[in-house]
Amino acid sequence: MAISPHVLANVFGILADIISFFVCLAPIPTFVRIYKRKSSEGYQSIPYVIGLFSAMLWIYYALIKKNAMILITINAISFVMQIFYISFYLFYAPKKEKRLTVKFFLLVDVFAFGLIYVLTYFLFHGNKRLQVLGYICMVFALSVFVAPLGIIRKVIKTKSAEFMPFGLSFFLTLSAVMWFFYGLLTKDLNVALPNVLGFIFGVLQMILYLIYKKPGTKVLEPPGIKLQDITEHVVDVVRLSTMVCSSQMRTLVPQDSADMEATIALDEKIKGDIEKIKEEKEVFLINKN
């Protein structure tokens, strides 16, 4: 018995929703690490701002298209999760990164989305509006897959994959496969086409991770001097100085009463020698005159 395309589309759609949900959860280990270290650790907020923008666009698209509850469900979940991630990032990010994140958020998620909404709502109607909005969704759906590639420079420069979220790349790739078949079976190229490149980008990210991931590598600490490091350094210097001074000046610094007496006797002898030299010098000068 053949399975109808409609049933297959629902199956792939449900699977896509489930996997996309894991895509939303993939950054959680990153934010757990940020929470423990109380620092954003050089991670970027761009993927989450772009992810929020994409979720907003797809919700708008699904509402216009109608009968697209699968798209609405997962993008509503993604919307909430991205808001949480951005808020969490802002709490622990340095001031410079906070300013950049807020500016990017206002530019993309507020201004750009507002402009798209106004233009598509008032300038286009019916199927034309859906078509134009679908093209826009395709372009920015690719941004979700491309956004994590922004850390490639950091990975190559540091030769460390600690900042490459492998879980996110893996689930994005798997999600791209499911959404491609969902779009293909529902004859929605706006959903199917961007996931072709999404699959390619996801595979590239995982390859880079495997190339630069080294066993036992540690997360690179941001450059900076900590009070604890300074304190430990001072303590080490004091210890080293004590060891050197004690070894080189042991004969000059008495350690007990016997050494004290010996040192005093030595001082008296030196003083006597100095006085004797002075007397001999005076006698020599008198005889010379």
Side-chain angles (χ1 to χ4, degrees):
M1 181 178 178
I3 302 176
S4 67
H6 178 72
V7 174
L8 284 176
N10 287 334
V11 171
F12 278 106
I14 294 173
L15 290 174
D17 269 5
I18 295 173
I19 297 171
S20 295
F21 176 71
F22 285 105
V23 171
C24 295
L25 297 180
I28 286 181
T30 296
F31 286 93
V32 170
R33 178 179 294 175
I34 290 176
Y35 172 76
K36 289 180 178 179
R37 295 177 179 264
K38 311 300 181 185
S39 171
S40 59
E41 294 190 328
Y43 289 101
Q44 298 180 356
S45 61
I46 294 177
Y48 313 109
V49 175
I50 294 296
L52 176 62
F53 182 62
S54 176
M56 295 165 66
L57 281 178
W58 283 111
I59 291 174
Y60 181 33
Y61 173 81
L63 290 173
I64 293 177
K65 182 180 179 180
K66 299 178 181 179
N67 298 323
M69 186 55 64
I70 288 177
L71 287 174
I72 294 175
T73 302
I74 189 57
N75 284 288
I77 294 174
S78 177
F79 176 86
V80 174
M81 295 297 292
Q82 302 305 328
I83 288 290
F84 171 78
Y85 292 145
I86 293 172
S87 301
F88 199 94
Y89 180 90
L90 287 173
F91 187 80
Y92 288 105
K95 290 183 178 180
K96 182 180 179 180
E97 296 299 328
K98 286 181 180 179
R99 289 195 295 266
L100 290 175
T101 300
V102 171
K103 290 178 181 179
F104 193 63
F105 171 81
L106 293 175
L107 176 64
V108 176
D109 296 331
V110 177
F111 178 76
F113 179 79
L115 183 63
I116 290 172
Y117 178 83
V118 171
L119 292 178
T120 55
Y121 188 84
F122 290 102
L123 297 181
F124 303 99
H125 302 279
N127 291 332
K128 188 66 175 178
R129 179 192 298 168
L130 184 64
Q131 184 179 8
V132 171
L133 187 58
Y135 290 149
I136 296 173
C137 286
M138 277 198 299
V139 173
F140 287 99
L142 293 176
S143 300
V144 177
F145 296 106
V146 177
L149 293 176
I151 63 174
I152 286 181
R153 181 181 178 183
K154 180 183 291 290
V155 171
I156 295 176
K157 183 178 180 180
T158 61
K159 298 187 182 302
S160 172
E162 291 299 326
F163 294 114
M164 175 73 75
F166 180 82
L168 180 60
S169 301
F170 173 77
F171 283 111
L172 280 173
T173 305
L174 195 58
S175 174
V177 175
M178 299 301 168
W179 283 116
F180 169 76
F181 284 109
Y182 171 80
L184 190 65
L185 292 169
T186 57
K187 298 180 181 180
D188 190 341
L189 296 181
N190 296 324
V191 176
L193 290 180
N195 285 286
V196 174
L197 288 181
F199 172 78
I200 296 173
F201 286 138
V203 171
L204 287 176
Q205 291 172 38
M206 290 189 290
I207 291 174
L208 283 172
Y209 181 89
L210 294 175
I211 291 174
Y212 289 102
K213 175 64 176 176
K214 298 178 181 179
T217 53
K218 297 182 179 179
V219 178
L220 300 178
E221 293 288 348
I225 300 177
K226 299 179 180 179
L227 180 60
Q228 182 180 358
D229 296 335
I230 297 175
T231 304
E232 292 177 354
H233 179 68
V234 170
V235 171
D236 291 338
V237 170
V238 171
R239 288 175 179 173
L240 180 60
S241 300
T242 303
M243 292 172 62
V244 173
C245 291
S246 62
S247 62
Q248 293 183 350
M249 303 179 66
R250 189 179 302 275
T251 59
L252 301 180
V253 182
Q255 303 296 325
D256 51 30
S257 59
D259 290 339
M260 181 69 75
E261 294 175 358
T263 302
I264 294 174
L266 179 61
D267 290 342
E268 294 294 334
K269 184 178 184 301
I270 293 173
K271 289 180 181 179
D273 292 340
I274 292 175
E275 294 294 333
K276 184 177 180 180
I277 292 172
K278 286 183 178 180
E279 292 176 357
E280 291 178 354
K281 183 178 180 180
E282 291 176 356
V283 172
F284 175 77
L285 292 174
I286 292 173
N287 294 334
K288 184 177 180 180
N289 293 328

